Amino acid sequence: MSSVPERSDIETEYKWDLESIYATDDEWEEAYEEVEDRLDELEAYEGRVTEDGETLLEVLELREEVMRQVEMVIGYARMRKDENTADQHYQALSSRGSALASQAGSASSFVGPEIQDLSEDELDQMIAETDGLEQYDHYLHDVLRLSEHTRSAEVENVLAELSEVTGASGDLYSMLMNSDMEFPTVEKPDGEAVEITQSNLTNLLKNQDREFRQTVHEEFYDELGEFHNTIGTALKSKVKGDVRLSQIHDYETAREAAMDGPNIPVEVYDNLVGTVRDNLDKLHRHAELKRDALGVDDLQMWDLYMPMTETETPDVEYEQAREYVVEAVGALGDDYQRRVQEGLDSRWVDVYETENKRSGAYSGGTYDTQPFILMNYQDDISSMFTLAHELGHSLHSQLTSENQPYVYGDYEIFVAEVASTVNESLLTRHLLDTVEDPTFRRHVLNEYLERFRATLYRQTMFADFEHQIHELVEDGEALTPGKADEIYGDLKSEFYEPAVVDDRIAREWARIPHFFNYTYYVYQYSTGISAAVALADEILETGEPAAERYLDFLKSGSTEYPLELLQTAGVDMSSPEPIQRALDVYDDHLDQMESLI
């Protein structure tokens, strides 16, 4: 019987180096206490923030010092918890870290409202007369931009204190899915028993044995069904919280509130959904090609992840994946390539799935730490692409933190997915250009098409679902688990029209963590791949000049709004044009796959 290994069974070189943040938990405790002690110092500025330019500069610098410490405290605790979500010690540390972040937010919640008491002329004069304050020009004017949606300091303080409570739905969902739920063990065609997990589900659904795939599909979603009401309640609480907070801040909708922070017009969202819906014929074509390639009369939901190739996905061990990725990013120059290699050699990556480890993958870290990447590597082509994806995020973070002050040392999610998907595009082109094995090449092309489908079409479908459930609550209707199933099932039927949509797949929303942890987030995967396709093509076609513009974009952090940053890099996401261009590339790759199979 196969089993997920214990963390102690994994060699150190395949675990991320969290000791580089705090060597011991005792050091974490000391840092925690130090932050707690500084909160009073920060609160002492309440009512004085804008009395003169020097005071404003002092409070901004102090808040930065505190928040940088908070980020390290909470980052370490959360990543330790993600190593083993059942470890109660790190559950407690993570909870304390979240509480500390909430306290810090509360302690500094007066800063924004007091800045917003200034007129634009008063602010400009203060910046002009105070050395050092000019660094905060973009940030300060952005605070003024949001003034009509900011409540009094007292109200914002209360909301900051409640942030830990308002985020409870995500914590509940994570604990349920990663620790408490026990998915079934199934017998593979070769007789080996394997436990279904969130991390290996997709891989199991790529097994050549169709009856086995059906069993995995049914067993997994039946188990989800056992917790249908609990997960549905978590979703309802999350959406109702989003709606209520948007109303408190005087927005008409939760979508408007979520998109106003990064200053993204809601038309960008509508352009995405509308353009993708206008091109569903391409997705339907993909489904029909897959049905024909598999030689089945009806494409079932347990067939969707199957590659359009005659063999199971080739094994790609982690060391080989590293080599391919490093070679692929050479298109971005020697410095970028060197950084990727050094990161892989410096234990950025927590590589393998272990018992109770958080599922999925992400890039983490803080302004003052090295990047960290959580993975659940499965020795396949998909995992190799995920490695390239997360390294895109990590290099973006590293280049930003090295080139920008803390105030601009992060970046909006809207641009983050560009960096990750450019790496995927470069990896695809590199593999198709250099690997001669025809079976491997077909799997690479299939992987590109599948990731395209999953990123542009599937995430847009998620975005449509997310918008519909928020509109439902905003209209005063009840969001029940059954209603969520109905909405999701209708979307699945529309997007995957040539396939048979069964009742179980209507519960798929319940396995998507983004719906429980973020608000109007997933659409940015789709806009990101659209921008990335254009940028990657330009880099490969024109070489160094395009690569330099792209690297300048990665170094810019949040010095400008996302749409402006992308326009500088050469992509206009206020237009449907990049989305349509990406969909046309998808269609071209479908042509290539059709000719191969």
Side-chain angles (χ1 to χ4, degrees):
M1 174 178 177
S2 71
S3 61
V4 177
E6 297 287 341
R7 187 166 185 83
S8 58
D9 296 332
I10 304 299
E11 295 180 21
T12 299
E13 64 183 296
Y14 299 114
K15 300 176 187 177
W16 53 17
D17 183 19
L18 296 188
E19 292 82 4
S20 64
I21 307 177
Y22 300 113
T24 64
D25 289 354
D26 288 340
E27 284 191 12
W28 183 90
E29 292 285 356
E30 292 173 6
Y32 181 96
E33 293 173 4
E34 183 179 347
V35 174
E36 272 194 318
D37 292 341
R38 300 200 70 184
L39 296 184
D40 289 342
E41 184 182 350
L42 188 57
E43 289 176 326
Y45 280 93
E46 185 169 4
R48 301 176 44 223
V49 173
T50 59
E51 63 184 19
D52 54 52
E54 287 74 17
T55 303
L56 176 57
L57 181 61
E58 285 175 11
V59 72
L60 291 176
E61 291 178 340
L62 174 60
R63 184 179 63 174
E64 286 186 1
E65 292 174 12
V66 171
M67 291 305 178
R68 287 168 74 165
Q69 290 178 292
V70 168
E71 287 178 5
M72 292 177 67
V73 165
I74 195 170
Y76 174 86
R78 283 179 175 171
M79 286 188 283
R80 283 295 190 201
K81 183 187 75 170
D82 289 345
E83 292 176 346
N84 182 355
T85 59
D87 188 317
Q88 295 189 13
H89 171 67
Y90 286 117
Q91 286 179 29
L93 260 61
S94 182
S95 178
R96 289 172 59 200
S98 296
L100 183 64
S102 179
Q103 293 169 28
S106 175
S108 61
S109 61
F110 59 88
V111 176
E114 290 190 32
I115 292 171
Q116 289 168 343
D117 286 338
L118 294 170
S119 69
E120 190 161 349
D121 288 342
E122 290 172 330
L123 177 60
D124 288 340
Q125 182 177 356
M126 198 172 285
I127 292 172
E129 294 175 351
T130 310
D131 290 340
L133 203 54
E134 68 279 357
Q135 174 177 275
Y136 297 90
D137 185 280
H138 176 70
Y139 160 76
L140 291 167
H141 282 90
D142 190 47
V143 172
L144 285 190
R145 178 181 68 85
L146 296 170
S147 60
E148 63 180 299
H149 298 292
T150 305
R151 301 296 299 271
S152 67
E154 181 180 5
V155 171
E156 293 294 341
N157 181 46
V158 171
L159 293 174
E161 290 180 342
L162 288 173
S163 63
E164 188 179 6
V165 177
T166 56
S169 294
D171 292 338
L172 168 66
Y173 176 81
S174 178
M175 292 302 300
L176 178 65
M177 294 295 289
N178 294 307
S179 297
D180 293 343
M181 290 182 68
E182 294 185 6
F183 290 103
T185 295
V186 292
E187 185 174 303
K188 297 176 74 173
D190 61 4
E192 179 186 17
V194 60
E195 178 186 353
I196 303 172
T197 68
Q198 275 272 64
S199 296
N200 72 10
L201 174 66
T202 299
N203 204 41
L204 293 176
L205 289 173
K206 295 177 183 178
N207 191 284
Q208 290 288 321
D209 189 292
R210 197 179 193 210
E211 185 177 346
F212 173 73
R213 298 198 303 271
Q214 181 178 354
T215 299
V216 170
H217 172 85
E218 292 176 352
E219 293 281 356
F220 180 85
Y221 285 105
D222 284 348
E223 179 68 14
L224 271 189
E226 294 295 319
F227 295 86
H228 197 219
N229 290 325
T230 301
I231 300 173
T233 299
L235 182 70
K236 177 185 69 175
S237 298
K238 175 65 171 67
V239 174
K240 290 182 75 171
D242 294 341
V243 171
R244 188 69 189 107
L245 284 171
S246 69
Q247 293 169 342
I248 289 171
H249 287 109
D250 200 26
Y251 287 100
E252 292 187 7
T253 66
R255 182 176 72 163
E256 182 185 343
M259 298 181 70
D260 194 34
N263 200 21
I264 306 293
V266 295
E267 290 76 19
V268 170
Y269 203 100
D270 293 332
N271 282 340
L272 170 68
V273 175
T275 305
V276 169
R277 281 184 171 276
D278 288 343
N279 286 268
L280 286 180
D281 60 307
K282 297 177 176 60
L283 180 60
H284 297 165
R285 180 189 175 201
H286 191 171
E288 290 164 353
L289 279 173
K290 181 165 294 190
R291 181 191 61 207
D292 295 343
L294 295 178
V296 296
D297 293 331
D298 295 307
L299 190 72
Q300 299 285 345
M301 289 295 101
W302 49 86
D303 298 322
L304 288 183
Y305 290 100
M306 281 299 294
M308 292 186 289
T309 54
E310 73 282 4
T311 61
E312 291 189 12
T313 178
D315 286 343
V316 183
E317 295 185 357
Y318 178 66
E319 299 299 336
Q320 179 65 73
R322 283 177 40 141
E323 183 178 333
Y324 281 140
V325 172
V326 171
E327 291 171 352
V329 299
L332 297 176
D334 293 341
D335 180 66
Y336 189 97
Q337 188 175 47
R338 175 187 57 78
R339 289 171 179 271
V340 170
Q341 184 68 66
E342 289 180 354
L344 291 169
D345 292 339
S346 301
R347 293 177 56 201
W348 284 8
V349 187
D350 203 75
V351 180
Y352 296 112
E353 180 182 10
T354 53
E355 188 72 25
N356 294 317
K357 184 177 178 180
R358 173 178 163 157
S359 62
Y362 66 74
S363 173
T366 76
Y367 184 82
D368 293 298
T369 71
Q370 68 175 48
F372 295 94
I373 296 174
L374 178 138
M375 289 198 65
N376 286 273
Y377 196 86
Q378 299 288 323
D379 284 346
D380 57 19
I381 286 177
S382 179
S383 291
M384 173 176 60
F385 272 82
T386 299
L387 178 63
H389 180 104
E390 299 304 339
L391 281 165
H393 289 311
S394 293
L395 267 292
H396 193 179
S397 296
Q398 186 184 66
L399 289 168
T400 291
S401 62
E402 288 182 5
N403 289 278
Q404 298 300 332
Y406 177 78
V407 66
Y408 306 123
D410 201 355
Y411 44 83
E412 297 291 346
I413 298 301
F414 191 88
V415 299
E417 293 308 325
V418 175
S420 55
T421 314
V422 162
N423 273 16
E424 290 185 29
S425 297
L426 296 178
L427 178 60
T428 300
R429 181 72 68 88
H430 171 72
L431 293 172
L432 291 176
D433 287 347
T434 61
V435 178
E436 295 183 0
D437 178 22
T439 299
F440 192 90
R441 289 170 59 83
R442 282 195 293 273
H443 276 281
V444 168
L445 184 56
N446 179 81
E447 181 67 23
Y448 181 82
L449 288 170
E450 285 299 302
R451 295 181 83 88
F452 203 112
R453 174 189 67 81
T455 305
L456 191 49
Y457 280 103
R458 190 165 186 254
Q459 298 295 336
T460 300
M461 184 182 69
F462 289 168
D464 203 341
F465 172 76
E466 185 175 16
H467 190 42
Q468 288 192 47
I469 60 176
H470 279 82
E471 284 188 315
L472 189 78
V473 172
E474 287 164 346
D475 290 340
E477 298 183 43
L479 176 58
T480 63
K483 188 63 177 179
D485 287 354
E486 178 187 337
I487 294 171
Y488 193 89
D490 287 346
L491 283 168
K492 197 79 175 182
S493 296
E494 182 180 1
F495 273 66
Y496 292 91
E497 184 178 286
V500 178
V501 178
D502 66 339
D503 292 339
R504 289 181 176 87
I505 202 64
R507 296 196 286 269
E508 187 180 31
W509 58 266
R511 66 170 293 244
I512 311 303
H514 298 75
F515 296 147
F516 303 86
N517 291 288
Y518 306 103
T519 305
Y520 284 96
Y521 180 102
V522 293
Y523 82 97
Q524 296 165 113
Y525 289 113
S526 301
T527 54
I529 192 174
S530 302
V533 165
L535 290 171
D537 282 350
E538 186 177 0
I539 290 164
L540 291 168
E541 289 172 9
T542 63
E544 186 176 347
E548 286 300 320
R549 287 194 298 272
Y550 174 69
L551 292 173
D552 287 342
F553 156 74
L554 295 184
K555 296 173 184 176
S556 297
S558 55
T559 52
E560 295 181 84
Y561 295 120
L563 290 187
E564 295 169 351
L565 290 170
L566 287 172
Q567 285 172 347
T568 300
V571 180
D572 182 9
M573 291 308 299
S574 66
S575 162
E577 190 273 333
I579 302 164
Q580 186 62 56
R581 190 188 332 167
L583 291 163
D584 291 341
V585 169
Y586 172 67
D587 204 33
D588 289 342
H589 282 76
L590 286 173
D591 288 341
Q592 294 181 47
M593 179 58 84
E594 186 171 17
S595 68
L596 287 174
I597 64 175

